[in-house]
């Protein structure tokens, strides 16, 4: 009796939602079907996500050889461009991934059923054809049977996914709007970032930002297409396209910057060319897989995109404002502080995006599991991805904390900038577990289509973080900014933990 009671208590304990974080923790590295599925999506996605920030780091390294003023100027422009782009990109990509995964999962069953029926009926149809054919040529009849079988087995049609078409239309329109906005408002935006009219950073920053903005349509389209491929659980195609574009960017940088003597403008031109190359490669691959021309405009899902995209837009504005404000506060402290902050921020973002690969895997698998009402797979996926995220964060913290001190001279030779970078390294390393968990929780909640909670919770986090940034930057300068960013990422991880750990919203299934 006592044994039964203890077993009942143990089973009841395991139903506590927070126990999801520890479920089957010993299997975290097991190469079972779920582990292989997560790895096949996460690894290429992480490589693709980090490829662009790494290319930006290469840009930073090349520009750093020109001088600290140019390095700081480009740092402000990249921060501004990336944050404005993120406002448009993040809602579009996140919503597209979930919607495409849901539609693809639900549509897969129908063709398979029809195909199986066709294959069952194929021998009957072949026999009927044989009865109508002369019996002199047996080989001919076998050939007809073979042709009938082949007709049913190899007929492949491009998928019709309304969300894919909608994402491309929305991405193209937003990209054009972003280009016009950045070109017309470049100077006021830079002034807001702390680059005033009398600053030596203004001219190079403005030139870089205007030229870089010409690639905004390509950036939006390419990332919309990446969202589509992620929904299909195909992260290899975006990886190949991104690598091709970034290798082109890295090859063109020294050519335009030093050989043609275009300076920071050359770096911007190289980046724009690479983005259009990525878009062309992705579009060429996508048209083979998806019928992008809908039967009518009614088949597009603008209302669904706008409703959920608006929630994520609120969320990303809150996130963007925090990061942009931190860059602005660093810029106000002068070129030296901004140059150091730019290097630390690019490393921080590039390395943290490795965790976004796990988030993409979690989102794609969970969206399909929820669409199929396969809640056991949803629980198992959430547990595995969270555990992998924590392990990854700890590993990144160790690697950066021990190895980054030796590589900072790649970015600049300025003694003052190097001094500040070394002060920022402990924060870049120590925040990695928080960053990875924050990104993973985001992906999991997006996979459950819990967009409303994600938006509201991040607005609250942003308000608290902005207050911390203003107070701590004033009191502690460069160090104060990084303390505030640490608080910000800690709060992001906490609100993601809170939703799943309490089993609320879409995660009430954890109580069953």
């Amino acid at each position: 009796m006592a044994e039964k009671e203890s077993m009942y208590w143990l089973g009841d304990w395991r139903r506590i939602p927070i126990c999801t974080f520890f479920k089957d923790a010993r299997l975290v590295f097991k190469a079972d079907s779920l582990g292989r599925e997560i790895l096949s999506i996460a690894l290429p996605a992480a490589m693709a996500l980090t490829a662009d920030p790494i290319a930006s780091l290469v840009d930073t390294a090349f520009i750093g050889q020109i001088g600290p003023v140019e390095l700081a100027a480009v740092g402000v422009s990249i921060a501004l461009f990336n944050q404005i782009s993120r406002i448009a990109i993040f809602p579009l990509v996140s919503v597209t991934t979930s919607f495409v995964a849901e539609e693809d999962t639900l549509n897969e069953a129908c063709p398979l059923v029809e195909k199986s029926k066709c294959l069952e009926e194929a021998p009957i149809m072949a026999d009927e054809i044989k009865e109508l054919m002369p019996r002199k040529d047996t080989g001919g009849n076998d050939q007809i049977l073979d042709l009938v079988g082949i007709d049913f087995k190899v007929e492949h049609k491009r998928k019709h996914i309304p969300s894919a078409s909608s994402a491309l239309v929305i991405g193209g329109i937003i990209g054009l709007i972003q280009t016009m906005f950045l070109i017309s408002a470049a100077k006021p935006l830079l002034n807001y970032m702390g680059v005033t009219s009398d600053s030596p950073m203004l001219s190079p920053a403005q030139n870089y930002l205007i030229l870089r903005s010409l690639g905004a349509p390509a950036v939006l389209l390419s990332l919309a297409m990446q969202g589509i491929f992620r929904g299909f659980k195909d992260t290899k195609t975006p990886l190949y396209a991104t690598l091709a574009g970034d290798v082109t960017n890295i090859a063109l940088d020294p050519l335009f910057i030093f050989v043609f003597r275009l300076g920071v403008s050359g770096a911007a031109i190289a980046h724009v060319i690479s983005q259009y190359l990525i878009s062309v490669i992705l579009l060429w691959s996508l048209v083979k897989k998806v019928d992008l021309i809908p039967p009518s405009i009614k088949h597009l899902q603008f209302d669904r995109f706008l409703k959920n995209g608006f929630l994520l837009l609120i969320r990303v504005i809150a996130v963007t404002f925090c990061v942009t404000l931190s860059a602005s506060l660093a810029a106000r402290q002068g070129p030296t502080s901004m140059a150091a902050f730019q290097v630390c921020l690019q490393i921080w973002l590039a390395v943290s995006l490795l965790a976004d690969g796990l988030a993409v895997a979690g989102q794609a698998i969970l969206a399909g599991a929820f669409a199929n009402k396969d809640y056991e797979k949803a629980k198992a996926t959430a547990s595995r991805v969270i555990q992998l995220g924590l392990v990854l964060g700890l590993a990144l913290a160790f690697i950066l904390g021990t190895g980054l001190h030796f590589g900072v001279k790649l970015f600049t030779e300025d003694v003052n900038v190097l001094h500040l970078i070394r002060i920022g390294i402990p924060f870049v390393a120590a925040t990695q577990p928080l960053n990875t968990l924050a990104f993973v929780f985001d992906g999991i909640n997006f996979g459950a289509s819990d967009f409303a909670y994600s938006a509201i919770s991040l607005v609250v986090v942003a308000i608290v973080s902005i207050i911390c940034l203003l107070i701590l930057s004033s009191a502690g300068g460069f160090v104060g900014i990084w303390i505030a960013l640490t608080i910000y990422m800690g709060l992001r991880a906490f609100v993601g933990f809170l939703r799943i750990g309490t089993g609320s919203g879409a995660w009430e299934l954890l109580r069953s």
Side-chain angles (χ1 to χ4, degrees):
M1 183 70 179
E3 183 179 351
K4 287 184 178 180
E5 287 180 358
S6 64
M7 291 298 292
Y8 176 80
W9 180 88
L10 180 62
D12 190 59
W13 179 80
R14 286 175 178 172
R15 284 196 291 269
I16 300 174
I18 197 172
C19 294
T20 299
F21 304 127
F22 310 103
K23 182 182 178 183
D24 297 326
R26 67 187 185 281
L27 305 178
V28 63
F29 294 119
K30 186 177 181 181
D32 53 8
S33 59
L34 178 59
R36 290 192 299 272
E37 186 177 13
I38 291 172
L39 185 64
S40 67
I41 299 171
L43 186 58
M47 293 173 67
L49 286 164
T50 55
D52 190 59
I54 288 172
S56 293
L57 281 174
V58 174
D59 281 352
T60 302
F62 280 123
I63 294 165
Q65 306 307 311
I66 302 174
V69 172
E70 286 78 7
L71 177 61
V74 171
V76 175
S77 295
I78 289 177
L80 188 58
F81 180 88
N82 287 346
Q83 296 310 316
I84 291 177
S85 296
R86 188 174 172 80
I87 291 174
I89 289 168
F90 188 82
L92 179 61
V93 175
S94 299
V95 169
T96 299
T97 298
S98 291
F99 290 174
V100 170
E102 291 170 7
E103 289 176 18
D104 189 44
T105 299
L106 294 174
N107 290 342
E108 266 185 357
C110 296
L112 287 173
V113 171
E114 291 174 5
K115 181 178 178 181
S116 64
K117 288 181 179 178
C118 291
L119 289 172
E120 288 173 3
E121 295 171 1
I124 300 171
M125 294 175 66
D127 289 339
E128 292 175 355
I129 293 173
K130 280 185 177 182
E131 293 297 326
L132 299 175
M133 295 293 293
R135 296 184 179 274
K136 294 180 182 179
D137 186 3
T138 306
N141 291 340
D142 291 339
Q143 187 178 8
I144 290 171
L145 178 59
D146 291 341
L147 288 173
V148 173
I150 290 172
D151 181 56
F152 286 106
K153 291 178 183 177
V154 301
E155 183 180 1
H156 296 287
K157 292 183 178 179
R158 289 183 297 173
K159 297 179 180 181
H160 177 63
I161 306 291
S163 294
S165 305
S166 305
L168 291 183
V169 173
I170 294 171
I173 293 172
I174 295 175
L176 291 172
I177 293 173
Q178 182 180 331
T179 296
M180 293 186 289
F181 172 72
L182 286 174
I183 290 175
S184 60
K187 189 173 180 179
L189 288 171
L190 289 168
N191 288 338
Y192 164 76
M193 292 292 291
V195 183
T196 57
S197 299
D198 58 347
S199 172
M201 294 189 287
L202 181 61
S203 179
Q206 189 171 355
N207 290 339
Y208 185 91
L209 182 60
I210 290 174
L211 288 170
R212 182 81 178 264
S213 67
L214 297 176
V219 172
L220 267 294
L221 283 173
S222 66
L223 286 167
M225 287 185 279
Q226 286 190 39
I228 295 170
F229 280 108
R230 290 176 190 174
F232 292 138
K233 300 179 183 178
D234 174 10
T235 51
K236 291 182 180 178
T237 302
L239 171 61
Y240 299 147
T242 303
L243 287 176
D246 287 343
V247 168
T248 301
N249 181 29
I250 293 170
L252 292 177
D253 263 343
L255 182 66
F256 289 153
I257 294 173
F258 303 116
V259 178
F260 295 159
R261 299 183 182 278
L262 294 175
V264 297
S265 298
I269 294 170
H271 201 91
V272 169
I273 291 173
S274 72
Q275 290 300 322
Y276 277 99
L277 177 61
I278 293 171
S279 294
V280 170
I281 294 172
L282 286 174
L283 185 60
W284 181 73
S285 301
L286 190 60
V287 293
K288 294 180 179 180
K289 197 169 187 175
V290 180
D291 185 3
L292 296 176
I293 302 177
S296 68
I297 197 170
K298 294 180 181 178
H299 288 77
L300 297 176
Q301 301 186 358
F302 292 138
D303 55 340
R304 191 182 182 201
F305 267 83
L306 291 175
K307 177 184 176 182
N308 293 283
F310 179 73
L311 289 171
L312 289 185
L313 179 63
I314 295 173
R315 181 185 187 281
V316 78
I317 288 174
V319 172
T320 299
F321 191 83
C322 289
V323 179
T324 305
L325 177 62
S326 65
S328 174
L329 292 171
R332 293 173 192 277
Q333 295 178 11
T336 300
S337 178
M338 183 59 212
F341 183 81
Q342 160 66 6
V343 172
C344 290
L345 184 67
Q346 290 299 319
I347 296 171
W348 192 61
L349 294 175
V351 176
S352 298
L353 284 175
L354 287 168
D356 227 1
L358 281 174
V360 169
Q363 181 181 3
I365 296 171
L366 281 167
F370 274 100
N372 272 336
K373 300 188 186 307
D374 188 352
Y375 298 130
E376 286 304 314
K377 185 174 184 179
K379 293 178 186 178
T381 302
S383 301
R384 187 75 64 89
V385 171
I386 291 168
Q387 292 160 12
L388 287 170
L390 180 58
V391 172
L392 176 62
L394 293 172
L396 290 175
F398 175 76
I399 292 169
L400 291 178
T402 57
L404 198 54
H405 287 278
F406 302 102
V408 292
K409 288 187 177 179
L410 292 172
F411 302 102
T412 182
E413 295 180 357
D414 188 281
V415 176
N416 294 324
V417 175
L418 286 172
H419 174 69
L420 283 179
I421 290 174
R422 289 193 172 95
I423 292 175
I425 287 174
F427 293 100
V428 174
T431 52
Q432 291 309 310
L434 296 175
N435 294 359
T436 53
L437 286 176
F439 287 142
V440 164
F441 282 131
D442 286 346
I444 289 173
N445 285 322
F446 295 159
S449 296
D450 199 359
F451 298 121
Y453 174 79
S454 297
I456 295 170
S457 62
L458 256 293
V459 169
V460 176
V461 168
I463 292 172
V464 176
S465 301
I466 289 167
I467 294 172
C468 291
L469 273 167
L470 293 173
I471 294 173
L472 293 174
S473 66
S474 177
F478 184 83
V479 174
I481 293 173
W482 279 104
I483 293 174
L485 286 176
T486 302
I487 294 171
Y488 160 66
M489 292 308 301
L491 291 173
R492 281 189 62 177
F494 174 74
V495 296
F497 166 88
L498 190 65
R499 188 62 156 180
I500 301 172
T502 57
S504 54
W507 294 101
E508 287 184 1
L509 62 93
L510 296 177
R511 297 178 177 276
S512 59

